[in-house]
Every structure is written in C-alpha cells, then in structure tokens.
Amino acid sequence: LLGNVIPSIDALLLSGDLAFAGDPAEYARVRPVLESLAGAAGINLRRVYAVPGNHDVERRRHGDRNLRRMLQVLRMGVEEVDEVLSNPVDRELLLSRFQGFRQLARALALAALDEEEDALQAWSLPMAARAGLAVRIVGLNTALLCMDDDDQGRLRLPPALLERRTGLAASRPDELVIALSHHPLHADWLADQGALRAWLQGRVHVNLCGHNHEGDLRDLRAGGGQGVIHVATGGDPREGGKIGQGYNLAAVVQTAEGLVLRVWPRRYSER
C-alpha cells in the first residue's frame, strides 16, 4: 500500500440503521441500494455483513402489551435476557420487532449462519481475505432491547449469550477478529457495558460501530493486556447542517511491525 492509495474492497460492514422505522416495506427499498453499492465496490451481497440498529426496530409493535412489559423488565434487569431467549414463545415475541431486517439478512453474508435467529442476537462468520490473512466478522445486536428515546443505560447484551452464539474463545494469533455493533461500547448505552468490554478483550481486535453522530477512534481496554480498537463513523445532516452522513474506508495492512489498520473517513455526497 503506497501513500493514500485505497485498495480494492473485499467486504461492506454495516453497523445498523439500514431503515428508519423498521418497517418491512422499507427494506424492499434498502436491498437495491445495497446491490448498487456492492456492485460499485466489485462484490456481491454475500460480502455484505450487517447488524441491526435502533432504527431497525419495528416500534409500532410496541403497542403489544405483553411485549412492552417484557422489554421493561428486561431493561430494568428484573429478568435475564438469556432466560427470555431460551423460551421459544418469548424469543419470537422479542425478535419479531426485527422482521424486516431478518428478511434482508437472508440475502447478505448472514445467510451462511446455521441458525437464522443468530442474525438478530450474535453471530460469528469467517471471511476469506487476501494474502493468506484469516479474518472473522462477529455481529453483536446491541439494539436487542431498544424501545424508545430513553434507551441509554438500559440496553443489555450479556456475555453468556455472546459466548453461546458466537463460540468465540481467546483470539488466535493467525486470525483478525472484527466485531460489528450499532452502539458504541464506551458511552454507557449498555447497562452491562463493562462486562461486554471485558468479554471482547482477548477475543476481538477491532470494534466497528455507529449510532453516535460523530466519528471516533480510540483504544478500549478493560484492565491490562490486548486492547480493542474502536472505530465509529457517523453524522446527521439534520443537526444544524454542519456535518453530513459519514462512512469509513479501511484496510488492514501487513508491515514489518505487524498488522496496521488504516482508516479513511468519508462523507456521502449527492453527486
């Protein structure tokens, strides 16, 4: 890699909010956009990895009294997320809010998952890369308990669920592990943020997220040892018109010192 030359694209990694209101009809419009974007990048949809965000939750379903009650007790920590997900009826009720995202996921890389429901909880998939580099993409649905404008500090994604769904143990020296999440893991969006970060450390090298309306790059650590590089991209043109919607182009480069992550922040243009 020389200078600022950006290499060809191997995959698209989407950190959520593919729709606005989670309406299944919205995803019928999302798919051709992704097909066009993937085509421009020289790949197909099976090279597109995604996790849902809070705007991928079909909130009109919250009119269901039983669903509202379930979300409230889960967000308060009165009941455990694992306990609800272990019950087929409760699990379907909770995950039904992501029906549109679930349908779209069948056309993406997530179609390779052994269990379709994993796309709505947590998952792990290997990705073939160049020059013999082994890459694993891990998906975390931090929007699992999203409900309203008071989500911050009330979301939960227990490490036990991640352990069971991803099967991810300690990181291997010959594999780069990239975790996708919608919410950042340092801004107290998740009530179990500390436990989640501790679980990621030693298993994941890079965390890509969105949600916040500003870019960010930092090294997250829980105690000593290997940190997790956190990369966020975002922007909202409605916020005073000062910034636009953003995305990142990134490459993992082999150097004499080891692997280096290079990131090129970009803003969308109507041109």
Side-chain angles (χ1 to χ4, degrees), residues 146-198:
C146 280
M147 185 177 179
D148 50 35
D149 292 336
D150 294 319
D151 285 337
Q152 191 163 16
R154 294 174 171 84
L155 307 180
R156 298 175 187 273
L157 194 61
L161 169 66
L162 307 184
E163 189 84 36
R164 187 172 64 256
R165 287 293 175 179
T166 68
L168 205 61
S171 61
R172 293 165 29 194
D174 61 339
E175 184 177 60
L176 174 68
V177 182
I178 301 172
L180 285 178
S181 66
H182 179 63
H183 298 85
L185 305 181
H186 65 275
D188 296 321
W189 284 96
L190 286 94
D192 51 4
Q193 169 182 290
L196 180 55
R197 282 172 52 176

Side-chain angles (χ1 to χ4, degrees), residues 17 53-55 59 74-76 81 140-158 181-197 207 209-214 216 218 220 230 232 239:
D17 282 356
N54 56 301
H55 283 286
R59 296 193 181 187
L74 287 173
R75 285 156 63 100
M76 290 188 295
V81 173
L140 313 175
N141 184 6
T142 58
L144 186 63
L145 301 185
C146 280
M147 185 177 179
D148 50 35
D149 292 336
D150 294 319
D151 285 337
Q152 191 163 16
R154 294 174 171 84
L155 307 180
R156 298 175 187 273
L157 194 61
S181 66
H182 179 63
H183 298 85
L185 305 181
H186 65 275
D188 296 321
W189 284 96
L190 286 94
D192 51 4
Q193 169 182 290
L196 180 55
R197 282 172 52 176
N207 167 229
C209 74
H211 192 66
N212 282 354
H213 294 168
E214 56 188 40
D216 191 16
R218 65 179 70 195
L220 298 180
H230 162 89
E239 295 195 357

Side-chain angles (χ1 to χ4, degrees), residues 184 186 209-218 230-236 243-248 263 265-267:
H186 65 275
C209 74
H211 192 66
N212 282 354
H213 294 168
E214 56 188 40
D216 191 16
L217 176 63
R218 65 179 70 195
H230 162 89
V231 183
T233 183
D236 192 332
I243 52 177
Q245 294 288 1
Y247 64 99
N248 285 328
V263 180
R266 291 291 186 269
R267 297 294 180 197

